Amino acid sequence: MAAPVPPLGSTRQAELYRAGIAGQKPPFPIVFEDLVRAAQERMTPEAFTYVAGGAGGGDTIRANRAAFDRWRIVPRFLRDVSQRDLRVNLLGQTLPAPVLLAPVGVQGIIHKEGDLATARAAKALGLPMVVSTVSSHSIEDLAAALGETPRWFQLYWPADRDLALSFVRRAEQAGYTALMVTLDTIMLGWREGDLQNAYLPFLHGEGMANHTSDPVFKKALLLPPAVNPISSMAHFLKVAFNPKLTWDDIAFLKQNTQLPILLKGILDPDDARKAVDFGMAGLIVSNHGGRQLDGAIAALDALPRIADAVGDQLTLLFDSGIRRGSDIFKALALGARAVLVGRPYCYGLALGGEEGVKFVLHNLLADFDITLGLAGCASAAEVTRERLHMI
Amino acid sequence: MAAPVPPLGSTRQAELYRAGIAGQKPPFPIVFEDLVRAAQERMTPEAFTYVAGGAGGGDTIRANRAAFDRWRIVPRFLRDVSQRDLRVNLLGQTLPAPVLLAPVGVQGIIHKEGDLATARAAKALGLPMVVSTVSSHSIEDLAAALGETPRWFQLYWPADRDLALSFVRRAEQAGYTALMVTLDTIMLGWREGDLQNAYLPFLHGEGMANHTSDPVFKKALLLPPAVNPISSMAHFLKVAFNPKLTWDDIAFLKQNTQLPILLKGILDPDDARKAVDFGMAGLIVSNHGGRQLDGAIAALDALPRIADAVGDQLTLLFDSGIRRGSDIFKALALGARAVLVGRPYCYGLALGGEEGVKFVLHNLLADFDITLGLAGCASAAEVTRERLHMI
Amino acid sequence: MAAPVPPLGSTRQAELYRAGIAGQKPPFPIVFEDLVRAAQERMTPEAFTYVAGGAGGGDTIRANRAAFDRWRIVPRFLRDVSQRDLRVNLLGQTLPAPVLLAPVGVQGIIHKEGDLATARAAKALGLPMVVSTVSSHSIEDLAAALGETPRWFQLYWPADRDLALSFVRRAEQAGYTALMVTLDTIMLGWREGDLQNAYLPFLHGEGMANHTSDPVFKKALLLPPAVNPISSMAHFLKVAFNPKLTWDDIAFLKQNTQLPILLKGILDPDDARKAVDFGMAGLIVSNHGGRQLDGAIAALDALPRIADAVGDQLTLLFDSGIRRGSDIFKALALGARAVLVGRPYCYGLALGGEEGVKFVLHNLLADFDITLGLAGCASAAEVTRERLHMI
Amino acid sequence: MAAPVPPLGSTRQAELYRAGIAGQKPPFPIVFEDLVRAAQERMTPEAFTYVAGGAGGGDTIRANRAAFDRWRIVPRFLRDVSQRDLRVNLLGQTLPAPVLLAPVGVQGIIHKEGDLATARAAKALGLPMVVSTVSSHSIEDLAAALGETPRWFQLYWPADRDLALSFVRRAEQAGYTALMVTLDTIMLGWREGDLQNAYLPFLHGEGMANHTSDPVFKKALLLPPAVNPISSMAHFLKVAFNPKLTWDDIAFLKQNTQLPILLKGILDPDDARKAVDFGMAGLIVSNHGGRQLDGAIAALDALPRIADAVGDQLTLLFDSGIRRGSDIFKALALGARAVLVGRPYCYGLALGGEEGVKFVLHNLLADFDITLGLAGCASAAEVTRERLHMI
C-alpha cells in the first residue's frame, strides 16, 4: 500500500531554504504558535473557539502540553541514520509514518471544502485518515477522495444501534479498514468558550453528512432531510450522544464486524486491561485534545501507565497535544505505535485548504524525521523509553 | 425535601446552545475568568477587593488554585452513566447535589438585595444555603425566603456567650438544621487590599442585620440601634471577634443545642481528631478562601490528610477554591462529601442579583454533572481517590 | 528594656480601617508590591536599582521568594490566642518581636536623613537596629538616636585589623550589645544593574561616616578627610573588602571583645558547625538578600539544614526575603529565633523617612501578630516545624 | 602559554564603577537580557533568529536554562580566597580560566569582520578559541589572528573522508592543538524560525571559507570557486551533513591524527562510555545550545549523569546555556573541567566587533571570578558537587 518514504526532513528543509534565495517566504506560518494565530485571524471567532478551545477554561489542554515538557529526549550518536525508516505497521497495514489524521468533525466550519480538502491532503501524503462520524462529507465521498489511502472510521456511537450498524456497514463497504470507537463523548464536554458564544456547529447543520445520507437515519424521520432540515437536526441531537454505552455494546460491535476495533479515549489502566479482554485491536490513549473532561490527566501522563499494563497485548496509539516532531517521538518512546494529529492540520485547513493541510503535515513529518535522526534512531521501532529522561 | 435532580448538564447545554440559534448570547459570562472581570466592572473597587481579595497579597488564594492543578482526573468509560445521581446525604438530609452555598457575609455590598437574592436563588435550585452570622438580612428573613430549602447557620462565635446562644436559638427556631462554627476568624486576616482601601464593610453598617435584631445584642446597648447606629457598630466590633475561643466553648455549644455542629476551617489532622472526640458532626476543610491566614496550606492539600485521619468518623466538607465542576469532583475524590461555593455566586449576584446567582450555580452544577459522567461515575458516591492521579 | 508589646494586629487594623470612615487612605502603600513601585518612583533609578537589585540578573532574589512559596502554614484552632506574646529573648535581651532592622548601608541614597530616620523609627517601635559598617551616620550618632533601644553593630571586616578593632571598640563604648560579622561581602557581588548604571554609592562618598570619623582610618590618610575627600575614598576602597578573611580572624575577634559575635551569611551546615566550635553566639542564615552570590541557595532552603545541624547550640537568625508576616512565621518554624528585615523598611524610608519606616515595620508586626494568632500560636515559641507543610 | 590571571572580578568592577564617576556608562549592556535585546536591534531579523533561535519553537533552549535554576550554590566562608586561581589544565594546556570560545560558524552574518574579530578578542583575553568548520575566515587566517593563543578545531565531519582529513591536516599545520568533532549536526535541526524566514546563511555564501580554500574541496568542483560560486555552494551542501557518521569514522580519525579528539554533543552515559573505549580525550556535554534536537534533555541535566559514568576517565567539558558566572560554577560543580560559551560573545560581536566580544567575555570572567570567591573557592578545582543543592 503505502510506499516507503525517503527521509523527508532534509528534503523539506532544502525546499524551504532554497525558496528563500528566490525571495519566497513559506506560504503559511511554520512556527506553530504563529500558525495558530494566523488561523484565528482567518476563522470566525465562534469556529476558532470551537476548534482551539477545550473543556472548562482549557485546563486539560494546558495539562497535555505541560506533560510533554517534563519528558526530555536523550539522543545517541554515531549510528548510521542516513536511511531513516519512518514506516510503521499498524493492524496489518504499513503506514509511511507513525502519524494518522485524527478524526475531526464539522470541518466545514474551518474551510468551505471541509474534510474533502483534508482527505485530498491525506492522499497526497499517503497518511491514513480517520474519518469522523460527524464529518462534513459522507463516508463514501471521503473514501472516493482518499482513493487507495488507508482510512479508518471513527464512530460516535449513536443512541440507536441500528444507526451504529448502518454506519459500520457503510464504512466496511467504502473500504475503511478499522473502526475507532470514541468513548469520551457519551455527552458533550462543558466548553465554556463555546457556551459563551452559544455556538454548536451541529445546530447550524454542520457535521450531519453521514446522518442525512443514511437510510436508517432517514427512516426515522417524518420528512426527508431535504424537505425539513430541522427535523434532521432534532433527530441528530436525539441520537448523537449515548451515555448508556457500555462494554456490552462493544461486545455487540465485535460480533457484528470483521474490522479491527480500537477504543479511543482510554486513560485508565483498568479500562485498558478490559479492552484486551474484549478482544480490542487497539487503544488510543487520548483525552480528546482536552475538549471533553475538564481537569483530566494529561494523555501523555496516562500513556506509560497504560503501556505498562497492556502495551504488548494490543496496538497503542496516542492522541492529544501533538504539535511537533519531538512530541511524536516522546509518545512513541512511552509506548505508542503511532499518533493522531488533529488541531494542527485544522489550522492548515483554515489557512489554505488542501494545501494548508499538506503544508502542516509535511512539516510535521519532516520535523519528526529530523528528530528521529538527531536522536540516533534509524526507525520508529528504535524509539524506546530509554531515550527519555523525566524531570 | 430536596427532590432528585435529573441530569442537569445536557439540558443546560442544550438551553444555552439553542439560544444561540435565536441569536441570544448568555446574559452573563460563562468563562469563569470573564465572570470575575465583569463583576469587577460592576462593583465598587472597595467591594470587589473585599470579595475577591485575600490575606496578605493573595498568596493563599493562589496556593488554593495551584493545588487543584496538581490533581488530575482519570476517567473510566463504558459504564452506563445516563442516570447520574448527584444527590448526597448530608447529616440526614438529601441534597440535590454535593454543593452548598458557602456562608458569605455583607452581601449588601455586592448587590442591593444582598443575601435575600441569594436565598431566592438557593431556593430555586434546591441547594442548601449556609447563612452567615454577618448576613445582610436576618436569620429569620432569610429563613422565610428559603422556605423549605435546607439552611444551616454559620456562627462567628462572638465574644459574648449569651449572644452566641441567642443566635443559636434563633437559628433553631427558624428551621436551620445545622450549625457551622467558623474557627479561622477569631481575628480578622491582614488583608492588604482592604487595608489599602481602608475599607471594612462593618464600619459602613453592613452585615449587622442579625445583631441589630437580636435581643441580647440590643440589651447590651445604651441606646437602641435605630436611635444610635454608632453605638451598635461599636458594640458589634467589640464582640465580633473572639480570639479566646477554645474547645471548651465547643463543648459548651454541644451541650446547649441539639443541632449537629460542624467546624469550619480545620486544616490540621490533629484538630480533626479532636473534633471527633468532641462529638462534632462534621468538618469543613477550608482556609476561608484564602482570606484569613496568609501563607496557609492549600485547602485541597489539607483535605486528603484529614480524610485519612478522620474521614470515616464524621462528615467532611470542602471549601476554598471551587470554581468549576472538576474542582468539585476532585474535592469529593479526596474525601469530601460535599463542597461549599462562595465567590462564584457572589460574582453572579453582583451582575444579576437572584438571576445571576442562579445562572452561576446552575452552570456549576451542569459542569459538575458532565464531569461526573465523563469521568465514568453515575453518582457522587462513585467518586473515589482512585479517580485521581497526582503530578 | 523592651516592654511587652500588646497584640498589635487588631489595633493596627482598627486604626487603618477607622481612618477609612473619615475618608483617609493610608499615607503609604500597604500592598507590598505597590510599596516597591511607589518607592521606585520616588528614588533615583540608580539608588533604586542599588537597593532593590541583586547579584547577576536577580536570580537569587527570585529563589529566595520561591522558597517561601513551597512552605505552607498548617494552622491549629481553638486555643486561646487572645494574649499573644511576640517577645523573644535574644542573647539575653528581650525583644518586643522577633524582628530586627537588618544592617543596610548608605541609606543616605534613599532619604536625606538616612539611617538617622531609621534609627528614630526603630526607637519608636522598640525594635533592635543593626547598624551597618557603611551606615550614613556614625556609630555614635546612631547610638544617640536609638537611646535605650537595643543596637547591634554589623562589621564588614576591613582589610586592616586595627580598623576592625577600632570599630569594635567604638561600638562597645556606644552601647552596642552584639557584633554581627558579615561573611559574604569579602568582595562585592557582580550586580549587573549597578554595573550598567556604573553606580556605586561609596564612590559618591556615601556610607563612609564611620570611616571618616575613625582615628585609625584617619591616621592612615595623608590628608584629613575634610581636606581631601578623594584620599578618604581611595583608602576606604582599599580596606573595604577583605577576601583574606578566615576563621583565624574570627578567633582573633573573639579574643578581643566581650560582646557576643554572630556570623551573617552562613548557608552551609559545615560552616555552621565550625561557628559552634569557634564559640559564636549566633548565626544569621542569609544570602544577603540575593545581593552577593548569584545562583545561591535560597536562604530559607538553607535554614532547616542549618537548624538541624546546630539549631540548639547557638542562636539562629534568618535574613533574606522577609516581606510579610507569614514569612517571619515560616522562618521561625524552620528554626530561626528572629528575622532581619531590610529592603521593606528602606522602601518606607524612601517614601516617608522615619514615618515611612515606622509605617512599614508597624504593618509587618501587625501582620505577623495576626499570622501568629490565626495559626493558633500564642507566642513565637509555639511556632514549630509541625506548623508547616512542604509542597 | 597562558599566564596566570590575577583576580579579575574586583578589577573589572572597579573599572566599570569608576567610569561612572566620570559620567561614563558601559559601552554595551551588562545585564544579559539587555545585551540580547540590543544585539537584536542591531542585527537583521534573519541573522538574529539564526543566532538566538533554536530547534522547534525553542523548547530545548528553555529547558537548558530551567536546569540551571534547579541547582543552587551553597557557599562556604572564611577561607582565604584573595588569590583565586581560575586556571585549569586542559589536555596539557593551561588555560587562564575554564572558558573556551565555543565554535560558532558564519559569524559574518553577525559582524562584517566575523570571527576574525572574535579571534582577536580571544587573543586579547588569552582564552582558547574553538574554530568552526563553517567559520567565516579560514583555519589559517584565524590561526594567524590568534597567534600564541590556544586554538582547537571543530569538525563538522563532511560526507567525504578526504575533505575531513584535509581539514584535520590544515588544522594540525596551523597549530591547532585539539579536534572537537560535533556529533549532533549529522543533519540540520528543524528550526522553525529560520524556516519561516527561509534563511540559511550557507545559501548566501556564508561559512564556506574553509571549503573554498581547501584543495580537496576545490578538486571536486568543475570550476574554481572564484569562477562559479554556485558550484561551490552546491558541493558544500552535498558534503556538509553526514548522517552516515559512525564510531568507525571516529576510529579512523583517531588512527589518522596525533591530536587529542573530543566529541561534542554527548548526552547519553552509554555514548560516553563508548567514547572512553574509543580512546577519546574528552567529551563536550552539549545539546548545541538547543539548536539541534527539539525536546532534548537539558545539557546540565545530562552532565552529572555523564560525569558519574566516565568523569574520571576523560576530560569533560560543558556547553549549552552558559550565560553568567554562576552557570560556569554549576557546570564545574557537576563535573565539567571547563565550559564553552557561544551566543553571549556573539551578541557582543554584533554590537561592537572585537571590542564587544572582549567586553562580554571579560565581564563573564569577572562574574565567574567573583562567584568563585563568594562561594568560598580559591580555584576551579575546589568547585565540587558538594557546593550545590538541588531543589
Side-chain angles (χ1 to χ4, degrees), chain C residues 63-80:
Chain C
N64 277 340
R65 289 305 311 163
F68 281 101
D69 289 344
R70 288 193 300 272
W71 290 99
R72 315 297 313 168
I73 304 174
V74 182
R76 290 184 307 187
F77 295 105
L78 295 169
R79 296 148 184 277
D80 183 343

PDB file of all heavy atoms in Angstrom, chain C residues 63-80:
ATOM      1  N   ALA C  63      14.912  33.207  43.782  1.00  0.00           N
ATOM      2  CA  ALA C  63      14.974  31.921  44.501  1.00  0.00           C
ATOM      3  C   ALA C  63      14.544  32.101  45.953  1.00  0.00           C
ATOM      4  O   ALA C  63      13.867  31.237  46.522  1.00  0.00           O
ATOM      5  CB  ALA C  63      16.392  31.357  44.432  1.00  0.00           C
ATOM      6  N   ASN C  64      14.928  33.195  46.557  1.00  0.00           N
ATOM      7  CA  ASN C  64      14.524  33.450  47.941  1.00  0.00           C
ATOM      8  C   ASN C  64      13.007  33.424  48.081  1.00  0.00           C
ATOM      9  O   ASN C  64      12.450  32.795  48.977  1.00  0.00           O
ATOM     10  CB  ASN C  64      15.063  34.809  48.407  1.00  0.00           C
ATOM     11  CG  ASN C  64      16.515  34.725  48.876  1.00  0.00           C
ATOM     12  OD1 ASN C  64      17.021  33.651  49.210  1.00  0.00           O
ATOM     13  ND2 ASN C  64      17.192  35.866  48.888  1.00  0.00           N
ATOM     14  N   ARG C  65      12.349  34.117  47.191  1.00  0.00           N
ATOM     15  CA  ARG C  65      10.882  34.178  47.290  1.00  0.00           C
ATOM     16  C   ARG C  65      10.242  32.836  46.961  1.00  0.00           C
ATOM     17  O   ARG C  65       9.274  32.419  47.602  1.00  0.00           O
ATOM     18  CB  ARG C  65      10.316  35.269  46.374  1.00  0.00           C
ATOM     19  CG  ARG C  65      10.609  36.681  46.841  1.00  0.00           C
ATOM     20  CD  ARG C  65      10.157  36.945  48.259  1.00  0.00           C
ATOM     21  NE  ARG C  65       8.782  36.518  48.477  1.00  0.00           N
ATOM     22  CZ  ARG C  65       8.252  36.340  49.681  1.00  0.00           C
ATOM     23  NH1 ARG C  65       8.952  36.547  50.784  1.00  0.00           N
ATOM     24  NH2 ARG C  65       7.009  35.961  49.798  1.00  0.00           N
ATOM     25  N   ALA C  66      10.760  32.163  45.958  1.00  0.00           N
ATOM     26  CA  ALA C  66      10.166  30.877  45.569  1.00  0.00           C
ATOM     27  C   ALA C  66      10.217  29.882  46.723  1.00  0.00           C
ATOM     28  O   ALA C  66       9.322  29.045  46.876  1.00  0.00           O
ATOM     29  CB  ALA C  66      10.880  30.313  44.340  1.00  0.00           C
ATOM     30  N   ALA C  67      11.257  29.964  47.530  1.00  0.00           N
ATOM     31  CA  ALA C  67      11.385  29.036  48.658  1.00  0.00           C
ATOM     32  C   ALA C  67      10.253  29.247  49.661  1.00  0.00           C
ATOM     33  O   ALA C  67       9.703  28.284  50.208  1.00  0.00           O
ATOM     34  CB  ALA C  67      12.737  29.208  49.334  1.00  0.00           C
ATOM     35  N   PHE C  68       9.911  30.484  49.898  1.00  0.00           N
ATOM     36  CA  PHE C  68       8.790  30.738  50.817  1.00  0.00           C
ATOM     37  C   PHE C  68       7.495  30.118  50.299  1.00  0.00           C
ATOM     38  O   PHE C  68       6.684  29.595  51.067  1.00  0.00           O
ATOM     39  CB  PHE C  68       8.591  32.250  51.018  1.00  0.00           C
ATOM     40  CG  PHE C  68       9.565  32.859  51.975  1.00  0.00           C
ATOM     41  CD1 PHE C  68      10.667  33.569  51.526  1.00  0.00           C
ATOM     42  CD2 PHE C  68       9.390  32.712  53.346  1.00  0.00           C
ATOM     43  CE1 PHE C  68      11.579  34.120  52.416  1.00  0.00           C
ATOM     44  CE2 PHE C  68      10.296  33.272  54.238  1.00  0.00           C
ATOM     45  CZ  PHE C  68      11.393  33.974  53.776  1.00  0.00           C
ATOM     46  N   ASP C  69       7.308  30.182  48.991  1.00  0.00           N
ATOM     47  CA  ASP C  69       6.054  29.656  48.428  1.00  0.00           C
ATOM     48  C   ASP C  69       5.905  28.155  48.640  1.00  0.00           C
ATOM     49  O   ASP C  69       4.787  27.649  48.660  1.00  0.00           O
ATOM     50  CB  ASP C  69       5.987  29.956  46.918  1.00  0.00           C
ATOM     51  CG  ASP C  69       5.779  31.432  46.660  1.00  0.00           C
ATOM     52  OD1 ASP C  69       5.398  32.160  47.599  1.00  0.00           O
ATOM     53  OD2 ASP C  69       5.993  31.871  45.517  1.00  0.00           O
ATOM     54  N   ARG C  70       7.010  27.451  48.751  1.00  0.00           N
ATOM     55  CA  ARG C  70       6.905  25.995  48.884  1.00  0.00           C
ATOM     56  C   ARG C  70       6.521  25.533  50.280  1.00  0.00           C
ATOM     57  O   ARG C  70       6.108  24.405  50.471  1.00  0.00           O
ATOM     58  CB  ARG C  70       8.241  25.337  48.477  1.00  0.00           C
ATOM     59  CG  ARG C  70       8.512  25.377  46.984  1.00  0.00           C
ATOM     60  CD  ARG C  70       9.651  24.451  46.606  1.00  0.00           C
ATOM     61  NE  ARG C  70      10.888  24.782  47.258  1.00  0.00           N
ATOM     62  CZ  ARG C  70      11.799  25.648  46.804  1.00  0.00           C
ATOM     63  NH1 ARG C  70      11.601  26.264  45.660  1.00  0.00           N
ATOM     64  NH2 ARG C  70      12.895  25.897  47.471  1.00  0.00           N
ATOM     65  N   TRP C  71       6.725  26.376  51.252  1.00  0.00           N
ATOM     66  CA  TRP C  71       6.354  26.023  52.621  1.00  0.00           C
ATOM     67  C   TRP C  71       5.008  26.662  52.956  1.00  0.00           C
ATOM     68  O   TRP C  71       4.839  27.867  52.802  1.00  0.00           O
ATOM     69  CB  TRP C  71       7.411  26.522  53.613  1.00  0.00           C
ATOM     70  CG  TRP C  71       8.717  25.792  53.541  1.00  0.00           C
ATOM     71  CD1 TRP C  71       9.846  26.193  52.906  1.00  0.00           C
ATOM     72  CD2 TRP C  71       9.031  24.529  54.141  1.00  0.00           C
ATOM     73  NE1 TRP C  71      10.846  25.262  53.074  1.00  0.00           N
ATOM     74  CE2 TRP C  71      10.375  24.223  53.834  1.00  0.00           C
ATOM     75  CE3 TRP C  71       8.295  23.620  54.920  1.00  0.00           C
ATOM     76  CZ2 TRP C  71      10.996  23.055  54.274  1.00  0.00           C
ATOM     77  CZ3 TRP C  71       8.921  22.460  55.349  1.00  0.00           C
ATOM     78  CH2 TRP C  71      10.252  22.188  55.033  1.00  0.00           C
ATOM     79  N   ARG C  72       4.092  25.875  53.441  1.00  0.00           N
ATOM     80  CA  ARG C  72       2.742  26.358  53.726  1.00  0.00           C
ATOM     81  C   ARG C  72       2.426  26.171  55.215  1.00  0.00           C
ATOM     82  O   ARG C  72       2.805  25.154  55.819  1.00  0.00           O
ATOM     83  CB  ARG C  72       1.701  25.586  52.898  1.00  0.00           C
ATOM     84  CG  ARG C  72       2.044  25.369  51.431  1.00  0.00           C
ATOM     85  CD  ARG C  72       2.163  26.612  50.606  1.00  0.00           C
ATOM     86  NE  ARG C  72       1.068  27.513  50.816  1.00  0.00           N
ATOM     87  CZ  ARG C  72       1.086  28.781  50.367  1.00  0.00           C
ATOM     88  NH1 ARG C  72       2.135  29.263  49.709  1.00  0.00           N
ATOM     89  NH2 ARG C  72       0.067  29.560  50.584  1.00  0.00           N
ATOM     90  N   ILE C  73       1.705  27.099  55.748  1.00  0.00           N
ATOM     91  CA  ILE C  73       1.384  27.072  57.179  1.00  0.00           C
ATOM     92  C   ILE C  73       0.141  26.219  57.438  1.00  0.00           C
ATOM     93  O   ILE C  73      -0.874  26.378  56.773  1.00  0.00           O
ATOM     94  CB  ILE C  73       1.156  28.504  57.698  1.00  0.00           C
ATOM     95  CG1 ILE C  73       2.391  29.382  57.397  1.00  0.00           C
ATOM     96  CG2 ILE C  73       0.836  28.484  59.192  1.00  0.00           C
ATOM     97  CD1 ILE C  73       2.190  30.847  57.739  1.00  0.00           C
ATOM     98  N   VAL C  74       0.261  25.322  58.406  1.00  0.00           N
ATOM     99  CA  VAL C  74      -0.881  24.499  58.821  1.00  0.00           C
ATOM    100  C   VAL C  74      -1.360  25.015  60.179  1.00  0.00           C
ATOM    101  O   VAL C  74      -0.733  24.746  61.204  1.00  0.00           O
ATOM    102  CB  VAL C  74      -0.486  23.016  58.942  1.00  0.00           C
ATOM    103  CG1 VAL C  74      -1.691  22.171  59.329  1.00  0.00           C
ATOM    104  CG2 VAL C  74       0.122  22.515  57.643  1.00  0.00           C
ATOM    105  N   PRO C  75      -2.431  25.756  60.180  1.00  0.00           N
ATOM    106  CA  PRO C  75      -2.877  26.354  61.455  1.00  0.00           C
ATOM    107  C   PRO C  75      -3.591  25.345  62.359  1.00  0.00           C
ATOM    108  O   PRO C  75      -4.123  24.341  61.893  1.00  0.00           O
ATOM    109  CB  PRO C  75      -3.858  27.437  60.988  1.00  0.00           C
ATOM    110  CG  PRO C  75      -4.427  26.897  59.712  1.00  0.00           C
ATOM    111  CD  PRO C  75      -3.311  26.114  59.056  1.00  0.00           C
ATOM    112  N   ARG C  76      -3.573  25.642  63.622  1.00  0.00           N
ATOM    113  CA  ARG C  76      -4.395  24.928  64.604  1.00  0.00           C
ATOM    114  C   ARG C  76      -5.395  25.919  65.183  1.00  0.00           C
ATOM    115  O   ARG C  76      -5.117  27.117  65.255  1.00  0.00           O
ATOM    116  CB  ARG C  76      -3.522  24.392  65.741  1.00  0.00           C
ATOM    117  CG  ARG C  76      -2.628  23.256  65.325  1.00  0.00           C
ATOM    118  CD  ARG C  76      -1.875  22.712  66.507  1.00  0.00           C
ATOM    119  NE  ARG C  76      -1.165  23.790  67.211  1.00  0.00           N
ATOM    120  CZ  ARG C  76      -0.314  23.581  68.221  1.00  0.00           C
ATOM    121  NH1 ARG C  76      -0.080  22.355  68.643  1.00  0.00           N
ATOM    122  NH2 ARG C  76       0.294  24.595  68.805  1.00  0.00           N
ATOM    123  N   PHE C  77      -6.494  25.428  65.660  1.00  0.00           N
ATOM    124  CA  PHE C  77      -7.507  26.349  66.159  1.00  0.00           C
ATOM    125  C   PHE C  77      -7.956  25.990  67.564  1.00  0.00           C
ATOM    126  O   PHE C  77      -7.523  24.990  68.141  1.00  0.00           O
ATOM    127  CB  PHE C  77      -8.705  26.394  65.203  1.00  0.00           C
ATOM    128  CG  PHE C  77      -8.333  26.967  63.876  1.00  0.00           C
ATOM    129  CD1 PHE C  77      -8.181  26.168  62.766  1.00  0.00           C
ATOM    130  CD2 PHE C  77      -8.086  28.328  63.755  1.00  0.00           C
ATOM    131  CE1 PHE C  77      -7.801  26.699  61.550  1.00  0.00           C
ATOM    132  CE2 PHE C  77      -7.702  28.863  62.534  1.00  0.00           C
ATOM    133  CZ  PHE C  77      -7.559  28.048  61.434  1.00  0.00           C
ATOM    134  N   LEU C  78      -8.815  26.850  68.085  1.00  0.00           N
ATOM    135  CA  LEU C  78      -9.472  26.620  69.387  1.00  0.00           C
ATOM    136  C   LEU C  78      -8.480  26.547  70.544  1.00  0.00           C
ATOM    137  O   LEU C  78      -8.609  25.742  71.460  1.00  0.00           O
ATOM    138  CB  LEU C  78     -10.371  25.369  69.320  1.00  0.00           C
ATOM    139  CG  LEU C  78     -11.564  25.520  68.357  1.00  0.00           C
ATOM    140  CD1 LEU C  78     -12.255  24.201  68.126  1.00  0.00           C
ATOM    141  CD2 LEU C  78     -12.533  26.569  68.881  1.00  0.00           C
ATOM    142  N   ARG C  79      -7.483  27.369  70.456  1.00  0.00           N
ATOM    143  CA  ARG C  79      -6.589  27.624  71.579  1.00  0.00           C
ATOM    144  C   ARG C  79      -6.738  29.115  71.870  1.00  0.00           C
ATOM    145  O   ARG C  79      -6.834  29.903  70.947  1.00  0.00           O
ATOM    146  CB  ARG C  79      -5.134  27.400  71.149  1.00  0.00           C
ATOM    147  CG  ARG C  79      -4.906  25.991  70.776  1.00  0.00           C
ATOM    148  CD  ARG C  79      -3.891  25.775  69.711  1.00  0.00           C
ATOM    149  NE  ARG C  79      -3.912  24.349  69.457  1.00  0.00           N
ATOM    150  CZ  ARG C  79      -3.243  23.462  70.192  1.00  0.00           C
ATOM    151  NH1 ARG C  79      -2.436  23.856  71.158  1.00  0.00           N
ATOM    152  NH2 ARG C  79      -3.357  22.189  69.945  1.00  0.00           N
ATOM    153  N   ASP C  80      -6.696  29.471  73.074  1.00  0.00           N
ATOM    154  CA  ASP C  80      -6.813  30.890  73.423  1.00  0.00           C
ATOM    155  C   ASP C  80      -5.568  31.621  72.940  1.00  0.00           C
ATOM    156  O   ASP C  80      -4.484  31.403  73.458  1.00  0.00           O
ATOM    157  CB  ASP C  80      -6.965  31.026  74.950  1.00  0.00           C
ATOM    158  CG  ASP C  80      -7.174  32.484  75.361  1.00  0.00           C
ATOM    159  OD1 ASP C  80      -6.882  33.386  74.547  1.00  0.00           O
ATOM    160  OD2 ASP C  80      -7.631  32.704  76.491  1.00  0.00           O
TER     161      ASP C  80
END
